Amino acid sequence: MKATLESLTKEYHESGVWSDVPLDELFRQTAADHPDRLALVDASDRVTWTGGTPRSLTYAEADREIDRLAAFFSTVGLSADHVIGIQAPNTVDTVIALLAALRADLIISPLPLHWRQKNVLEALNSIGAKGFIAADRVETRDVGSAARDVAADLFSLRFVFGLGKDIPDGLIELAPMLEEMGDDLQFSPTERPEPADHTATICWSRSGEENVPVSRCHNHWISAAQMVVQEAHIKDGSAIVAPYSLSGLTGLGAGLVPCLLTGSTLHLHHPTSLANLAAHANEVNADVVITPGPLAQTLDRKLESSNTTILAAWNISAPHPSTFVARRRLVDVHVADEFALLAKARGPSAKMKATALGKHSGPNGCESGPALLEIAVTDEVEEQTPTLLVKGPMVPDIGWRTINGDQRRVRWEGTGFLNTNIKVELVEDGISGFGIPGLYALGTGNLETVDVIYAGYPGIREAAAFVVEDPILGARMYAALVPDAGNVPDAGSFFAYLDAEGVDLAKIPHRVLILQSLPRNADGTICRERLTMRTQRLPAAVA
């Protein structure tokens, strides 16, 4: 299935940015050229956060597993352009499943790990998924049992597969199934014209009021990854440590796909602490390590090798970057939700430069090459904050089956730009990154929508969500509650209420602050900056 206008497809192919090599074929090519090169490596602490013992596979070993699993998907009745969801943490098994689905010409929809059963059910139903792959658990969450319950409520879901060790009844356990069928599973690829132009994934935009599906073809992913590979100077056969789950533009576009382009070794990491990430990078002598932007300075001090490149990922909810002189190569990766990313090396300057409007063609000195991304903003209108516009070979068209929906992102007729609806701050030389600190929270979208959820707790007059910098995740969400007169809310009961309502885990606050009133700006809107400053200055006031 193709989702890009024919005129754009022709333009991108003629420019040389797009090719006819899909993602799984990139892996196969490296397996043919370097069969004994290490491809995928689990974190040594895998058993502490998901089922199964740590694995490591060479390119040849991994490619054989990908072939067998692709054959299995075809054998059970999944065919080209069927959609299959996946919710699993960073493991070798997850990468194998993802690439096998692509090799079988399926469309994979990686779901955020923090989504609960309600979110998963709504998402899979909206895209007509035929299958679902779930881990047995993620830390203390029983993801496998939740997947079984999703299947019970979603009649169109024909297959539910399990990854890990303790797979609940009702799920098809992939590992023993493949082992039992052994060499009987032979994959026969189908001839597909322009295979890299077909839809590969459906990821989920989370910057608006609702979760919106965003479809990308193989070439969209490769174009985004080229930006990272070129700017970070990632060499062939590098060691890359990726702590972001493979469910969105950061984990896939800055982690997995750059690895596929360079035939590198992907060391899969599940984030529990910055010290753990640094130790993992030091242990494997990483050439590249990805980290949340706000943690880049601390990670820079903890890394041992001066040759390690840090990819500092800045999402639309990230705070303003700190000013510091890095001890090694630092590349800022600005991620505009699920629509585009921009990679720029920090250079000798201690301060991140503004993001220039216009075309971005790769690293400095390559400005004459084909543009990978073009950036603009909406026209300034009095009292309206401008929003980010993007276009180029990495930018998807519209959402999946939302062509007539109210939530669609529409290309500007005549200019070709996609309006992301992400509010940005204009500065002298362009824009100050993607997004404005304090307006969004990672994985939750606009904070005003979260206010409504918190205010729904009985006995609360008004509420506000706000973001506080955090040494583990880069940023955490907090809740400020203003109770009705005479009411004394209990923090434990508030969390129990959110859990009972099935609120998305990313919208569960880290802590709760009880106030007599919310601080306001001159226009009457909530002043979230003052809430953040108050919390950081008065930690004892947090319940």
Side-chain angles (χ1 to χ4, degrees), residues 464 466 480 515 518-519 526-535:
F466 61 101
L515 300 176
L518 297 177
I526 297 170
C527 183
R528 300 180 201 273
E529 285 188 7
R530 286 172 60 188
L531 287 171
T532 298
M533 291 174 61
R534 174 183 179 128
T535 302

Side-chain angles (χ1 to χ4, degrees), residues 229-284:
V229 170
Q230 293 175 15
E231 189 68 19
H233 300 168
I234 301 177
K235 299 178 181 179
D236 180 72
S238 295
I240 301 174
V241 176
Y244 281 86
S245 66
L246 305 177
S247 62
L249 194 50
T250 308
L252 292 169
L256 176 60
V257 185
C259 181
L260 299 179
L261 284 174
T262 57
S264 294
T265 301
L266 185 64
H267 293 271
L268 296 145
H269 181 90
H270 183 76
T272 55
S273 72
L274 185 61
N276 194 27
L277 175 60
H280 193 173
N282 291 333
E283 176 188 352
V284 302

